[in-house]
Amino acid sequence: MTESSATARWYLVQCKPRQEVRAEQNLRNQLFPCYCPQHTVEKIRQGKRTVIQQPLFPGYLFINLCRINDSWHSIRSTRGVLRMVTFADQPLAVPDGIIEDLRARLATVEGKPLFQKGEPVTIIQGPFKDLDAVFCKADGEERAIVLLNLLHRQQELRVPLKALKASG
């Protein structure tokens, strides 16, 4: 299968650490079509549950370029960009199907909660440290309800979210 070299293709750009957004913005200012896949994650920041967007591939973004018509020289000196990803000193095109699949999958995925109901967790701080429990539900932004097996009975216990980690 041979493709016309005048056709725009997707390529991979390696960005400087934590500068994907800056690199994408500066490349777009130069009129290069870019795609930096983002996904929603739930994290604990300063003891509170927060939902944030972060790059699916930290340190990388995709750029759509034509080998003939586009000037590739300005990409290297763009703020936030480290280099083009190459193979044998040649940029290797990413199949279009991969980009389309990524876009389709990310469009259907919503933010996944930190813990799922019924998920095994370990308590990592407090008087019940190192005990295994089962996540029941979130109780506000900072706390969770877990089921803990004490004296052969399941007990509901409210603990800070930051005191839990996934088991396994």
Side-chain angles (χ1 to χ4, degrees):
M1 176 173 105
T2 58
E3 293 196 28
S4 168
S5 54
T7 305
R9 301 286 311 271
W10 288 102
Y11 295 90
L12 194 59
V13 173
Q14 185 177 11
C15 303
K16 293 179 180 174
R18 292 177 298 284
Q19 292 193 28
E20 301 89 0
V21 173
R22 180 183 203 184
E24 182 179 18
Q25 186 175 34
N26 288 318
L27 287 167
R28 284 186 189 278
N29 288 344
Q30 297 174 58
L31 304 178
F32 288 117
C34 298
Y35 178 52
C36 185
Q38 303 271 323
H39 66 123
T40 305
V41 291
E42 189 176 350
K43 291 197 171 194
I44 298 175
R45 294 247 167 121
Q46 299 173 346
K48 293 190 177 187
R49 209 168 31 134
T50 58
V51 177
I52 60 168
Q53 289 282 323
Q54 69 180 30
L56 186 60
F57 305 110
Y60 295 92
L61 64 84
F62 299 98
I63 187 168
N64 196 283
L65 299 169
C66 176
R67 279 197 175 274
I68 294 175
N69 299 332
D70 289 323
S71 172
W72 295 42
H73 300 292
S74 64
I75 296 170
R76 287 182 304 183
S77 59
T78 301
R79 287 181 178 220
V81 171
L82 189 59
R83 65 183 181 91
M84 291 285 296
V85 175
T86 61
F87 180 73
D89 292 328
Q90 292 295 316
L92 188 62
V94 175
D96 291 334
I98 290 177
I99 303 299
E100 293 164 11
D101 190 42
L102 276 172
R103 284 187 166 148
R105 287 177 186 242
L106 290 174
T108 60
V109 175
E110 291 186 22
K112 184 182 175 204
L114 205 52
F115 301 108
Q116 298 288 334
K117 182 176 181 173
E119 182 179 347
V121 294
T122 303
I123 301 171
I124 57 172
Q125 54 183 251
F128 299 103
K129 183 178 179 181
D130 298 328
L131 291 180
D132 292 326
V134 175
F135 183 81
C136 192
K137 64 181 179 179
D139 185 24
E141 290 185 1
E142 299 180 31
R143 302 187 67 75
I145 298 173
V146 296
L147 297 175
L148 187 63
N149 201 358
L150 290 173
L151 302 172
H152 303 291
R153 292 186 63 178
Q154 278 196 339
Q155 302 290 324
E156 265 190 16
L157 182 67
R158 283 178 172 73
V159 295
L161 272 170
K162 64 182 179 183
L164 298 176
K165 75 169 187 172
S167 295

